[in-house]
Amino acid sequence: MKKNILLIALIIATGCNDDFMERYPETSISPEAFFKTVKDLELYTNTYYSFSTPSHFDYTSDNIMAYAESHSHNDLVRGNITPETATGWDRTTWGNLRKYNILLANCSQTTGEAASINHYVGMTRMMRAAWYYDMVKLYSDVPWYSTPLTDKDDDLLFKTQDPRTVVVDSILADLQFAIDNMSSDIGNRTRFNRFYAAAMMARICLHEGTFRKYHSELNLQSTANSFLQRAVAAAEIVMNSGNYAIDLTGGPDRAYRQLFITYDLSSSKEMILFKDYDRTLRVAHSGYNSGYYTFDWAFAYSRSLMESYSYITPEGKAVPFSTVEGYEKKHFTEVFANRDPRFSQTFRYPEYIAPSNTLPWRPRLQHGGYTNIKWMPETGDEYLLTAQYTDVPVFRFAEVLLIYAEAKAELGTISQNDIDISINKIHERVNLPRTVIGEIVEDATLKAQFPDISDYLLLEIRRERRIELVSEGFRWDDLIRWNAGHLIEKVQEGIYVDGFGVFDMNGDGIPEMGLFESEATNTIPAAERSAYSFYYLKNADGSLTNITLTNGTSGYIVANGELRNRSFIQPKYYYWPIPQTQLVINPNLKQTVYW
């Protein structure tokens, strides 16, 4: 076993030269000496799981009021990304592809049961497909490589990009092989299988189909439906398998949030794949802590997201929050009444007490006031940067249902039965009223977000996707594929404040927060101020702080200065530039379109 681990470490660790691909050093053990048995394939492919860590953020989207820390999305919309400053397309990026192609180039020498060999080949082609589609999402056209290159492959090393159409067809061929050949054994839901491959096919085909449909600059609209049809077919493989269902554990007031703070997801039928962490073994979230990072430290949710959650009428109907009288000026403690139960399982509700605290948490107004609790654990010892042990969903069945519904709606073939087996299954988790096609109420706010979409049902599905998958890393990609960059650059708002003074954020009737123009205008006696958390619009020298109000002395909290600067240049920012240094290394590469 130790010998095998050493062999695989040597194979993976071999680096790349400045041309990003190189042959193995003559002193290392060659791959020809390794891929002899099915066990070798298993050991090699075990390293793939390190690439399946999900995101917990909706960086620089309309879900977030402001995000202060460095991130590529922030850099893009603030004009800081250029061919000269861009990163990526380097040996690290392409090295991951090389790992997959090494196995595929050497598996012909493996002896063992054909089905077992094909399982690992299928897994590798699935991973290559996912890697390549991430590249397509950035650059559209990229060079396709199906073999591991050496420094002797000049024609391949210095080739130009292949068209998006060619690359995507190759991606789908890889995914289809994976679906046809990977094992159907779902085990404890922590291992790749054919249903994960089918879910990946559905995710990629939905993205590609809608991107082609809404991005006329590609001139590929006529091909969009074929991808949407494949998204439906792939989703049906998962849906019809009998292996998966929406997890109802905990009841309507807890079931949703429990998915993201539980310690054992192996029994959850909603998990297509999850990452298993263990407190006893001290295997914590590696390199990040999903609760710590998403809980009010660098960003908070937007008013736009808050208003997306349905309001439940006394008659039990789910209607847009924008239809509620006076909804624009509801105080923080008022917006939680009669809402979709997922709202208070995602947003910090008034009486929420954070781990290791004894009093309700006071939101940071510099982030807008709407704190995320979706990933926050419930034990104090995990209230640290690197000490969270909750299991983490990687691919949920709910996403497959949303893919199915959206693809069918985009195709214009969706029926009430389709809604019942997808959207309404998700609603059952929190006892939300059924969505009935003929009873959907127009949401003026939602229509304003997507003015070119007249189909109320499609808008409803987009709203549902936003809520169900919030803080799971999808919103940026969704807005990109829907050609909705205008929502990325829009200045987002936080809570509503009806004027300077102190106010209650905990719902107990006792004010504990205060907002004034400056400290000099604070009307609370100095001896009493320790009981409050105060925020100001101006510093002592008269300069602006990092927040302001939309109406000057009242309104919604918004960010000031650099935090609110967002400009989305269309269609340029739907794509990313290749670093100029790479164009120098390979003069046959062409800079990404619009760059």
Side-chain angles (χ1 to χ4, degrees):
M1 176 62 75
K2 289 183 178 178
K3 180 181 178 182
N4 284 337
I5 293 174
L6 174 60
L7 285 171
I8 194 170
L10 287 171
I11 290 172
I12 293 174
T14 52
C16 304
N17 63 15
D18 289 340
D19 292 331
F20 74 74
M21 299 286 186
E22 74 172 349
R23 62 183 174 182
Y24 294 106
E26 294 181 359
T27 56
S28 73
I29 299 173
S30 70
E32 290 81 4
F34 178 72
F35 296 101
K36 296 298 187 182
T37 67
V38 172
K39 188 63 176 180
D40 292 342
L41 301 184
E42 180 185 1
L43 284 170
Y44 192 90
T45 56
N46 278 343
T47 65
Y48 298 170
Y49 291 94
S50 64
F51 303 135
S52 63
T53 299
S55 172
H56 306 101
F57 307 94
D58 290 327
Y59 289 127
T60 321
S61 74
D62 57 345
N63 283 354
I64 304 299
M65 196 201 86
Y67 180 67
E69 298 184 2
S70 177
H71 187 269
S72 58
H73 294 169
N74 271 350
D75 291 338
L76 181 70
V77 298
R78 291 171 186 168
N80 297 328
I81 297 290
T82 68
E84 289 71 30
T85 63
T87 57
W89 204 282
D90 54 14
R91 64 184 186 178
T92 300
T93 303
W94 290 91
N96 290 335
L97 172 64
R98 180 175 174 79
K99 293 172 186 176
Y100 307 136
N101 282 340
I102 285 172
L103 183 145
L104 296 174
N106 290 278
C107 62
S108 60
Q109 64 186 345
T110 306
T111 58
E113 185 182 12
S116 297
I117 294 172
N118 284 338
H119 167 74
Y120 294 111
V121 172
M123 183 190 304
T124 302
R125 292 185 66 172
M126 175 191 72
M127 295 298 290
R128 181 172 69 179
W131 181 91
Y132 251 115
Y133 197 68
D134 282 343
M135 294 292 281
V136 168
K137 287 193 292 185
L138 292 173
Y139 306 108
S140 197
D141 296 342
V142 293
W144 175 267
Y145 295 111
S146 58
T147 59
L149 305 186
T150 73
D151 54 5
K152 296 180 180 180
D153 297 320
D154 287 352
D155 289 346
L156 293 175
L157 284 169
F158 295 102
K159 68 180 288 187
T160 190
Q161 293 98 319
D162 291 301
R164 181 187 188 112
T165 52
V166 171
V167 176
V168 171
D169 285 349
S170 299
I171 288 170
L172 295 194
D174 273 355
L175 288 170
Q176 191 60 56
F177 183 91
I179 293 170
D180 294 341
N181 289 278
M182 289 182 69
S183 170
S184 296
D185 182 9
I186 66 172
N188 65 352
R189 303 175 188 267
T190 63
R191 309 293 290 179
F192 294 131
N193 55 66
R194 75 179 296 260
F195 301 110
Y196 180 86
M200 186 62 68
M201 170 79 90
R203 177 189 285 176
I204 287 175
C205 285
L206 177 69
H207 193 288
E208 185 67 9
T210 50
F211 195 95
R212 293 190 183 197
K213 179 174 182 176
Y214 292 110
H215 286 268
S216 59
E217 72 272 10
L218 290 180
N219 197 28
L220 294 173
Q221 298 97 313
S222 63
T223 65
N225 280 3
S226 65
F227 290 92
L228 296 171
Q229 290 161 356
R230 294 191 76 161
V232 171
E236 288 177 331
I237 292 174
V238 182
M239 295 165 67
N240 296 334
S241 69
N243 295 322
Y244 307 102
I246 294 298
D247 194 335
L248 308 178
T249 305
D253 294 327
R254 184 172 173 83
Y256 177 73
R257 183 167 175 245
Q258 186 156 300
L259 289 172
F260 311 101
I261 60 171
T262 192
Y263 297 96
D264 185 7
L265 285 172
S266 60
S267 62
S268 173
K269 293 193 72 174
E270 187 157 345
M271 295 302 113
I272 299 173
L273 187 74
F274 76 94
K275 283 207 171 245
D276 185 16
Y277 296 96
D278 193 290
R279 180 192 297 269
T280 303
L281 299 176
R282 307 302 291 177
V283 181
H285 293 194
S286 55
Y288 67 91
N289 175 316
S290 57
Y292 180 94
Y293 271 120
T294 60
F295 180 73
D296 212 20
W297 302 120
F299 67 90
Y301 288 140
S302 66
R303 169 201 173 196
S304 173
L305 176 63
M306 178 275 289
E307 292 182 351
S308 294
Y309 291 79
S310 295
Y311 178 84
I312 311 302
T313 69
E315 296 77 28
K317 297 287 186 180
V319 300
F321 185 64
S322 59
T323 64
V324 178
E325 183 178 358
Y327 79 96
E328 307 100 320
K329 296 185 178 182
K330 283 190 176 293
H331 187 268
F332 175 82
T333 57
E334 298 174 323
V335 300
F336 287 85
N338 305 316
R339 303 296 295 277
D340 178 335
R342 288 172 295 182
F343 182 42
S344 59
Q345 296 177 56
T346 305
F347 282 60
R348 176 269 189 197
Y349 47 90
E351 62 271 23
Y352 174 78
I353 299 176
S356 297
N357 286 254
T358 57
L359 296 174
W361 180 260
R362 297 183 182 183
R364 290 176 166 86
L365 294 192
Q366 68 265 35
H367 299 153
Y370 285 122
T371 301
N372 170 23
I373 63 169
K374 178 170 175 174
W375 295 96
M376 193 56 158
E378 296 178 306
T379 60
D381 64 324
E382 295 181 89
Y383 191 53
L384 299 169
L385 185 59
T386 57
Q388 190 167 340
Y389 306 102
T390 53
D391 287 348
V392 177
V394 175
F395 211 129
R396 293 198 287 127
F397 184 55
E399 183 193 344
V400 172
L401 299 183
L402 289 164
I403 291 170
Y404 176 83
E406 184 180 348
K408 294 277 278 190
E410 291 284 8
L411 288 166
T413 61
I414 195 165
S415 66
Q416 183 60 49
N417 182 66
D418 293 327
I419 293 295
D420 288 339
I421 64 175
S422 58
I423 300 299
N424 287 334
K425 286 295 182 183
I426 295 173
H427 283 186
E428 287 178 9
R429 188 202 319 271
V430 290
N431 281 351
L432 268 180
R434 291 175 62 244
T435 293
V436 178
I437 293 178
E439 298 177 3
I440 297 175
V441 177
E442 178 182 359
D443 187 337
T445 302
L446 190 58
K447 186 67 175 68
Q449 293 170 358
F450 304 104
D452 296 331
I453 304 298
S454 57
D455 184 344
Y456 290 176
L457 178 58
L458 180 57
L459 290 175
E460 174 65 16
I461 292 170
R462 289 188 179 184
R463 186 194 65 80
E464 180 66 31
R465 180 179 174 88
R466 182 184 192 183
I467 291 169
E468 179 67 24
L469 301 180
V470 63
S471 281
E472 295 182 51
F474 293 100
R475 189 60 176 179
W476 173 275
D477 274 359
D478 286 345
L479 296 181
I480 293 297
R481 66 186 175 91
W482 293 332
N483 197 18
H486 61 282
L487 294 178
I488 293 174
E489 71 177 358
K490 180 179 173 60
V491 175
Q492 296 302 317
E493 300 166 340
I495 67 171
Y496 179 80
V497 179
D498 55 14
F500 294 136
V502 295
F503 46 90
D504 172 27
M505 294 286 285
N506 298 335
D508 58 4
I510 302 172
E512 71 287 318
M513 302 277 280
L515 179 64
F516 293 91
E517 182 178 28
S518 66
E519 188 171 4
T521 64
N522 189 335
T523 58
I524 303 301
E528 301 176 13
R529 292 184 183 183
S530 61
Y532 299 88
S533 296
F534 288 111
Y535 293 85
Y536 304 103
L537 305 188
K538 292 182 180 180
N539 296 307
D541 61 3
S543 61
L544 298 177
T545 65
N546 56 7
I547 59 172
T548 190
L549 295 174
T550 53
N551 298 325
T553 59
S554 66
Y556 302 101
I557 294 176
V558 293
N560 264 332
E562 182 68 14
L563 289 178
R564 73 183 290 173
N565 292 337
R566 295 180 181 179
S567 176
F568 196 95
I569 303 174
Q570 303 193 50
K572 181 177 182 178
Y573 283 1
Y574 291 119
Y575 310 90
W576 291 72
I578 297 174
Q580 186 63 36
T581 54
Q582 299 301 322
L583 300 181
V584 173
I585 292 171
N586 181 2
N588 293 317
L589 288 176
K590 299 176 182 178
Q591 184 53 271
T592 309
V593 63
Y594 305 113
W595 283 94

